[in-house]
Amino acid sequence: MLALQGDTREHVAALREAGAQVSTVRRRSELDTVDGLVIPGGESTAMSHLLRVFDLLDPLRERLAAGLPAYGSCAGMILLATEILDAGEPGREAVPLGGIDMTVRRNAFGRQVDSFEGDIDFEGLDGPAHAVFIRAPWVERVGPEVQVLAQAGEHIVAVRQGAVLATAFHPEMTGDRRVHKLFVDIVAGAV
């Protein structure tokens, strides 16, 4: 669990309920020991800044390029992209980690007041997932190897490329642990 900023506590609880052993990552030595990594929702520009401060940006990019399974929700989805639209002010912008070949638009659904929730069809889950969207991004472009797992209207809100999974919404804020279980299964299959 990347524990620099964001809703780490909620993800830790969801991962444990889904059967994972969870440790937090704040240092490179901790990053080097994990079999998979969750990048939580939060503020993508703040997380980008902290990745630089803690000297985790390049090591994380390297681990992702080497096949580290990862799951990002909301801000985590933004960071896992290869391209970020509306990334923020120069020098303080969200930086792409390149885990999934996609273009993501930050805060695409609007401001905090525009946050919403609802049920969406999610490929691979037995029934709709309840999705909580908070200042959520959406995916504007996916590469040929990216699998689209869910949409909200015409907007892509869940994707997977190999061992990397991302959602624009926050499944950790619901009692539904199926997305976290999917990630736990991805990690188990990769080790």
Side-chain angles (χ1 to χ4, degrees):
M1 179 79 241
L2 184 65
L4 300 177
Q5 191 270 340
D7 58 346
T8 58
R9 181 178 41 201
E10 294 85 351
H11 274 290
V12 167
L15 287 165
R16 286 187 175 138
E17 289 175 29
Q21 293 180 341
V22 184
S23 60
T24 56
V25 172
R26 292 183 187 93
R27 295 174 186 81
R28 182 173 185 161
S29 60
E30 295 163 338
L31 176 63
D32 292 341
T33 66
V34 298
D35 295 323
L37 184 70
V38 172
I39 304 172
E43 172 45 53
S44 58
T45 58
M47 277 192 237
S48 295
H49 172 73
L50 292 169
L51 284 168
R52 287 187 204 100
V53 167
F54 287 95
D55 196 27
L56 285 169
L57 185 60
D58 289 333
L60 181 49
R61 284 179 173 151
E62 291 166 10
R63 289 282 325 264
L64 287 167
L68 176 71
Y71 166 52
S73 71
C74 199
M77 171 186 256
I78 293 166
L79 296 179
L80 285 171
T82 51
E83 181 183 20
I84 303 169
L85 303 177
D86 301 326
E89 299 175 28
R92 296 180 52 193
E93 69 272 13
V95 294
L97 296 170
I100 298 177
D101 182 11
M102 65 179 170
T103 302
V104 173
R105 182 173 300 278
R106 282 179 71 233
N107 302 327
F109 284 103
R111 300 164 41 119
Q112 186 80 19
V113 71
D114 300 313
S115 299
F116 66 98
E117 57 187 274
D119 293 338
I120 59 170
D121 291 328
F122 192 110
E123 188 174 322
L125 298 185
D126 58 343
H130 191 70
V132 177
F133 293 89
I134 303 170
R135 287 180 29 217
W138 66 50
V139 178
E140 294 209 353
R141 178 203 60 83
V142 295
E145 296 180 21
V146 177
Q147 178 184 12
V148 174
L149 301 175
Q151 292 186 229
E154 71 265 11
H155 303 295
I156 299 169
V157 296
V159 294
R160 178 178 177 183
Q161 182 175 353
V164 183
L165 175 68
T167 61
F169 55 92
H170 294 269
E172 73 280 4
M173 300 185 111
T174 72
D176 187 345
R177 301 303 183 223
R178 292 177 297 161
V179 173
H180 287 85
K181 178 67 173 130
L182 173 61
F183 180 62
V184 169
D185 291 346
I186 289 169
V187 174
V191 247

